[in-house]
Amino acid sequence: MIPKLPLDSPRWRGLDGVKVEETQVLLEQLACAAATGGGDAWRRTWTDLSGGLMDDGVLAVGAYAALPHLVEAAAVLPPEQTVDFWVDLGFMVTADYRPPVPADLEAGFGAALRLAERAAIRSLLAAGTPGQVCAQLALSSVALAGHRIGEVLWQFADHQDSGLLLSCPDCESDTEIPDFFLDPVRPPIEASLVPDPDPDLAPVRQEGHPWVEIAAALREEALGEGWEPFLRVARDVAARGVPPETPGQAVLCLVAGMVAFRGTPRGAAGELARRLMSLTGHFRCWDCERTWTIADGLVEAPDGLVENSSRPAEYPDGALTDGALTGDALTPHSPARARTDSDRSAAGAQPAAAGRNSRAATRFRQEGNAVVAADGTPWGRIAVFSDAEPGSSGGVDALAVVSLPDRRTLVAGGGDKGVVCLWDVSDGRLVHDPLPGHPDAIRSMTTLPLPDGRVLLASGGDSGSIAEWDPLIGQPVREPTGDSPGGVTAMCTAVVPDGRILLVTATPRGAVRLWEPESGECVGRLNPYGSPIRSITAVPVSVDHTLIVASDTAGRVHVWDPAVDDPWERGAAVQLSAHALADADHRVAAVEAVLAPGRTLLATADNLGVVMLWDPATGAPVGDGLPSSTGSAGPPLITAATPHGGHTVLVTGARHGHRLRVWEPETGAVRHIALDVSPTCLASTDADLIVGHDRGVLSLPLTRR
């Protein structure tokens, strides 16, 4: 006997979801079925009553009073007759919302769950049930045992759905994997990847728990080639009594093993078991790019029990590319991602870049004026640059880093006020008063290192005006010139073999012009097709020669040689591989030169967050790209840097987003920075990342300080 609320107690009148009269009727029908050995009248009554106990995923408080009575009555029925009852009970104890158990009902409800667990396991071991129902009964038994993975019951009530929706335990972003469930002919991953329960985390329940019978049953019959390692894990979980601390992966092995062993017909049940076993794998969050067990993504772990963070780093090569977990099962579905020739030949295998990135991903966050690493340790301090005017907090839409001959490094920025500000990067203080020079907003900036050793600063405005400054003295070199509809949205510096340094400007109307800096004379034009330009950069191919690379609004990339007079002439320019761009479905929105060991590469970014590297000498992609990331998707921002003593890194993000990715192409490592501001432009020195945002400018270190 278990403690129960008396049926004549006035307490029933204050409980929602159930009437005591309905409970009495069902109890009488259950008693009759137990006495006669059968009968279905109780099933119809139970269906009606259970609809009141749980409505649209919300469990009524009345369930805590009614279920102790009903569980005790149902537990004496033949086990093969109560399968559906225990499945329904599993749904109730894993409902989306379960109100707290009233103190006076707590003991009875807890005892009812322990009795229900035993009865459900007896039903599980009875005559075989259809595979789908067997899976639900196994998950219900796990839920009744108090393990969180029982909540999977709700997500897989209908196994005909081939998709999978997972929630990242860290950033809580949802990752949808369409067509996750394949049709494997053998267990889907290496059994060594499924952990045995840790004795320290998963102590054995007290003797007499009902799962001992399951452990014994799983020894009776082999399930075919490749299953024994999984069954070893399943038996171990069952022998321990499925304690709540058991890793979700291991419990799913138990569920799949029971479906394969007790489900009918055997062939269909085995297929379903393999689909369930695929849930013991891993997934990579599209947002924070950390890798988790699928069990972590299916249900929320109790505090302190998140099972895995970037665990694939510990696995041998190839461990995550077997069977049902290859390809998009490990990589979230997205409209496009960067691919290499090796990706295509692998017939859908996970791209190497994504694998490395998931293993090396690290998240940073902003806490006040500090950057904190994922492990909670300080990374460095954020330097907030002085306002152009005290208290103004004006946004900045264009940045340039000015390296002066005296070894000082300044940062120039401009925004809607049409003024240029110059800050000392070492302390973030203004070195001059703001420099007025444009009648409207500044949209682009670049530096011009002249042959005589001087460095000029150029800025382009919304009305097409172009201004040039001497940053040392904070004075204009000449009056602003130019008048281009749509403004000057991109600028860079070209070096040509005859020794000239030229300013290159681009407009959204497609005009790409070459200017002699000091005279302001237009000395050439590029872009003969007139494609509207979004982004432009200069890529050195030798000490005295740069190529100009631009992306247009259609996502195409153009490469020009400013040393040739006729823009139709190719010169030293090599176009990017059209085949590689099309194969990756890479519609480029931003371009950036990247200084790599021994050469300069070109980086291209699209609106999905994909970044690819290219060899400007051949037009071919280099290495593995940075996969897409919705968290940094949108109009792209990109800058490259080589921190002191470190590898080259690319910092990417989206305009007005809040998250940046710091990618090290040589190793594949990815770090994440979550900011409290909305970036509008990026620049970098060798040591610091400079972020222009909607309220000003800040810098943060690229290496730990």
Side-chain angles (χ1 to χ4, degrees), residues 334-403:
S334 61
R337 68 171 180 87
R339 291 181 181 267
T340 65
D341 290 339
S342 61
D343 290 327
R344 294 186 292 273
S345 64
Q350 179 190 14
R356 290 201 311 269
N357 292 339
S358 64
R359 292 194 291 267
T362 304
R363 177 179 289 267
F364 297 82
R365 66 183 183 276
Q366 180 180 347
E367 290 188 357
N369 285 334
V371 179
V372 180
D375 60 4
T377 60
W379 180 263
R381 295 202 61 80
I382 294 175
V384 179
F385 288 19
S386 302
D387 291 340
E389 300 173 8
S392 66
S393 298
V396 171
D397 292 299
L399 288 170
V401 175
V402 185
S403 298

Side-chain angles (χ1 to χ4, degrees), residues 183-199:
D183 185 17
V185 296
R186 56 192 172 88
I189 61 172
E190 296 295 337
S192 61
L193 301 186
V194 181
D196 291 319
D198 187 334

Side-chain angles (χ1 to χ4, degrees), residues 530-581:
S531 302
I533 301 302
R534 289 185 65 176
S535 175
I536 197 165
T537 191
V539 180
V541 291
S542 66
V543 176
D544 60 354
H545 193 186
T546 58
L547 302 179
I548 304 302
V549 183
S551 63
D552 63 27
T553 54
R556 296 169 298 212
V557 180
H558 307 271
V559 186
W560 303 299
D561 185 350
V564 297
D565 294 330
D566 186 348
W568 293 97
E569 290 292 331
R570 171 181 169 182
V574 176
Q575 302 302 317
L576 301 191
S577 168
H579 174 75
L581 286 166

Side-chain angles (χ1 to χ4, degrees), residues 321-338:
T321 57
D322 191 12
L325 290 186
T326 57
D328 286 343
L330 285 176
T331 304
H333 175 76
S334 61
R337 68 171 180 87

